[in-house]
Amino acid sequence: MNTTSQEKGFTLIEILISIAIFGLVMGVMYSLYISMNRTTVNQTDILEVQQNVRIALDRLSRDIRMAGALVPAGTTGIQAGSNATTLNIALASDFHSYARIASDIELPGATATPQTFSISVPASVDNFEKDDIVRIFRPQDGSQPVDNDLIIDSVNRAGPSITVKNFNNTDVVQYKEGDIIARVGATAPDPATIVWTYVGTNLNRNRGNVGADLIAEDISNLNFTYLLADGTETTTPANSELEDIRAVRVTLTADAVNQVDRDKHRSLSSTIFIRNYLMGVTSE
């Protein structure tokens, strides 16, 4: 009995069809990969830009709210030279570190020994360290019973209390409950200053004239608008209008430089009201 063995293979046409189907599938998969990669790049860049803008706006808000805090009577919180791209702020502490004195204390004349102040808000003590430079202000008018830089001698967080030295008073000085200890920089002017500037695409913050810190980059637009007591708005307040500024509207726009599509701009705007007094003071 004869057995015939038949072996079947792929014809050329079948191979070509298979290659075509495989190529089509790979083309679809590559197209999906490109689309997903573009979406990932877009979303990552958008999130990064939005986060940078929010951080910058938070820092700005913190400074603007405290403009004029504990500055001497007659000194405005928003200073001359402020305009649409530059913001000059005067305040007691460019570190935003404050502590409220809890009870009266009298310093004798020619005080040479460190003086210990009890503090009313325990958490505020955490914002001070030994050898920090401070000044002590009277909230009612921004005056200083002793007008010179003082130095933290020690901090008692359990107390809570702060011990201060370097008084140069010749007469008896009376500190009152509610007076404020504020941290200042070694070379800071009195009152302290913070200058925000928009240069090129960078947003910079200069604290106490010690040098500019880069807060945000790739900023395509920044605009400060000043809201006055009578309801009017201006981007270039005159010196006579500075004391009437009640709020600053900040608009920040940043570019997502790595984004693949055309929608590159992300913008945030906020109206920040000035709080020129301290209530239940802690470092913000």
Side-chain angles (χ1 to χ4, degrees), residues 154-220:
S154 63
V155 174
N156 182 355
R157 290 175 172 79
S161 65
I162 296 175
T163 301
V164 181
K165 62 182 180 180
N166 202 40
F167 294 97
N168 68 350
N169 57 303
T170 57
D171 300 321
V172 174
V173 173
Q174 183 73 42
Y175 283 105
K176 299 288 188 180
E177 176 184 357
D179 287 350
I180 303 296
I181 300 174
R183 183 185 174 196
V184 298
T187 59
D190 181 26
T193 59
I194 295 174
V195 180
W196 285 86
T197 55
Y198 174 50
V199 181
T201 60
N202 294 334
L203 179 61
N204 300 315
R205 180 181 186 265
N206 188 328
R207 179 184 57 78
N209 298 321
V210 297
D213 295 324
L214 176 62
I215 303 301
E217 53 187 350
D218 299 322
I219 302 296
S220 58

Side-chain angles (χ1 to χ4, degrees), residues 29-171:
M29 292 179 64
Y30 182 73
S31 177
L32 289 174
Y33 168 76
I34 294 296
S35 178
M36 291 177 63
N37 185 64
R38 177 178 296 166
T39 299
T40 301
V41 170
N42 287 352
Q43 292 303 315
T44 300
D45 207 32
I46 289 171
L47 289 174
E48 182 177 351
V49 167
Q50 289 178 335
Q51 182 179 14
N52 288 340
V53 171
R54 287 195 180 96
I55 290 172
L57 194 56
D58 285 345
R59 295 287 298 275
L60 273 163
S61 298
R62 188 182 186 192
D63 288 346
I64 293 170
R65 284 198 301 269
M66 298 304 294
L70 302 177
V71 299
T75 302
T76 58
I78 304 299
Q79 296 276 284
S82 297
N83 52 45
T85 58
T86 300
L87 177 61
N88 298 317
I89 297 173
L91 71 172
S93 173
D94 46 6
F95 292 93
H96 296 294
S97 295
Y98 302 95
R100 186 188 296 276
I101 294 174
S103 58
D104 295 356
I105 182 172
E106 184 177 274
L107 273 62
T111 302
T113 58
Q115 301 295 310
T116 299
F117 297 88
S118 58
I119 303 302
S120 60
V121 181
S124 63
V125 177
D126 293 335
N127 301 306
F128 297 87
E129 299 288 345
K130 178 179 171 59
D131 296 328
D132 282 349
I133 299 173
V134 299
R135 284 178 173 258
I136 301 179
F137 298 88
R138 187 142 292 162
Q140 292 81 353
D141 56 8
S143 63
Q144 301 174 55
V146 175
D147 187 8
N148 69 281
D149 287 345
L150 307 172
I151 300 173
I152 299 290
D153 187 64
S154 63
V155 174
N156 182 355
R157 290 175 172 79
S161 65
I162 296 175
T163 301
V164 181
K165 62 182 180 180
N166 202 40
F167 294 97
N168 68 350
N169 57 303
T170 57
D171 300 321

